[in-house]
């Protein structure tokens, strides 16, 4: 039933006598269709976007180059590559193995475990360019560690771990060209300002903030949520 208004409302708008310039009028009708399709989810969001581009071209609203100009620069392909890298690292288990390796090397006291979670999140940003995906990966490890401590998720140890994970995931998604937002911003900088913005330049430029985020975030979490107990002997075998 959702497909009916999604198709009918834009068609009615197309023929309304609004006194607008024809191309502008038809562009608004196609845009209305895309908005309704996204809102009602009658189609996959990606397919809706492609259908909209096709309609702009096939119905004479714009040229092919104009309608599909968003795919003519490297921003969408950069984002697609980042998604593929993240999927491979997650599906293969590489991301989780790296996180376990970093954790066991840094140490298994509560303070060191928090530090290892932050460092792992930072390193995983290079492989899994999605904050939500990294939180999902690291949350599974954190839950296991909380269980190894013999505590529940409502404990200070659990709160400290999940606070630091969600905070740093959001920060690293911006200070490393990983999430959709910095990838889009990079494209705007290059297309509008005509300034080359390489991935390594972004990484090096934000490197001081990475160090500050890791150290201050770690110490702040330890201070806010002191552990109820020391780690039991079972923590090392779990890792």
């Amino acid at each position: 039933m959702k497909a009916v208004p999604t198709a009918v409302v834009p068609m009615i708008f197309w023929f309304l006598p609004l006194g607008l310039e024809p191309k502008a009028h038809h562009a608004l009708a196609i845009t209305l269709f895309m908005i309704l399709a996204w809102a009602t989810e009658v189609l996959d969001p990606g397919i809706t976007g492609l259908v909209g581009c096709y309609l702009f071209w096939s119905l004479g609203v714009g040229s092919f180059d104009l309608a599909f100009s968003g795919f003519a620069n490297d921003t969408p392909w950069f984002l697609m590559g980042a998604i593929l890298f993240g999927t491979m690292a997650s599906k293969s288990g590489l991301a989780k193995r790296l996180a376990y390796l970093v954790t066991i090397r840094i140490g298994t006291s509560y303070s060191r475990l928090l530090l290892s979670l932050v460092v792992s999140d930072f390193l995983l940003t290079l492989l899994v360019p999605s904050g939500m995906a990294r939180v999902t990966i690291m949350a599974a490890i954190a839950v296991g560690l909380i269980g190894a401590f013999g505590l529940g998720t409502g404990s200070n140890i659990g709160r400290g771990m999940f606070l630091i994970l969600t905070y740093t995931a959001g920060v690293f998604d911006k200070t490393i060209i990983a999430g959709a937002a910095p990838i889009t911003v990079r494209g705007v900088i290059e297309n509008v300002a005509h300034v080359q913005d390489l991935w390594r330049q972004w990484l090096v430029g934000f490197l001081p903030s990475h160090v500050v985020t890791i150290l201050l975030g770690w110490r702040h979490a330890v201070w806010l949520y002191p552990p109820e107990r020391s780690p039991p002997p079972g923590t090392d075998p779990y890792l």
Side-chain angles (χ1 to χ4, degrees):
M1 293 299 294
K2 294 186 293 186
V4 175
T6 301
V8 172
V9 172
M11 291 176 63
I12 295 174
F13 187 89
W14 181 282
F15 294 105
L16 285 178
L18 299 179
L20 299 174
E21 196 274 329
K23 284 192 175 182
H25 188 167
H26 297 162
L28 287 173
I30 296 171
T31 303
L32 178 60
F33 160 75
M34 296 172 69
I35 293 172
L36 290 174
W38 279 324
T40 58
E41 297 183 342
V42 295
L43 295 172
D44 181 271
I47 294 177
T48 299
L50 289 174
V51 169
C53 293
Y54 173 77
L55 291 175
F56 280 123
W57 166 61
S58 63
L59 296 176
V61 176
S63 65
F64 181 89
D65 291 342
L66 178 62
F68 290 91
S69 60
F71 298 94
N73 59 65
D74 60 1
T75 298
W77 306 110
F78 198 124
L79 180 58
M80 181 178 178
I83 293 172
L84 290 176
F85 270 105
T87 302
M88 288 187 285
S90 301
K91 294 289 185 180
S92 66
L94 174 62
K96 188 170 289 187
R97 291 199 299 274
L98 176 62
Y100 277 123
L101 179 64
V102 171
T103 303
I104 196 68
R105 293 295 175 84
I106 291 180
T108 56
S109 68
Y110 170 65
S111 176
R112 291 185 176 228
L113 283 174
L114 285 183
L115 178 60
S116 68
L117 291 176
V118 181
V119 173
S120 297
D121 193 13
F122 173 74
L123 295 176
L124 286 180
T125 307
L126 311 179
L127 289 175
V128 185
S130 167
M132 292 178 64
R134 291 197 308 278
V135 169
T136 301
I137 293 168
M138 297 301 297
I141 297 174
V143 168
L145 290 170
I146 294 167
F149 273 79
L151 299 169
T153 53
S155 64
N156 273 0
I157 290 177
R159 291 172 179 170
M161 287 183 178
F162 278 92
L163 172 71
I164 201 67
L165 280 178
T166 52
Y167 166 70
T168 55
V171 172
F172 294 147
D173 254 11
K174 309 301 183 294
T175 54
I176 298 175
I177 299 182
I183 290 175
T184 303
V185 169
R186 173 190 171 276
V188 171
I189 290 173
E190 293 199 338
N191 294 328
V192 177
H194 303 292
V195 176
Q196 189 179 39
D197 189 9
L198 301 178
W199 186 91
R200 59 177 171 81
Q201 292 175 319
W202 193 293
L203 176 67
V204 173
F206 278 102
L207 193 57
S209 74
H210 295 153
V211 176
V212 171
T213 298
I214 291 172
L215 295 179
L216 290 187
W218 165 49
R219 295 312 306 171
H220 197 61
V222 173
W223 173 66
L224 279 177
Y225 301 103
E228 294 92 337
R229 55 174 295 180
S230 299
T235 308
D236 286 340
Y238 168 78
L239 290 169

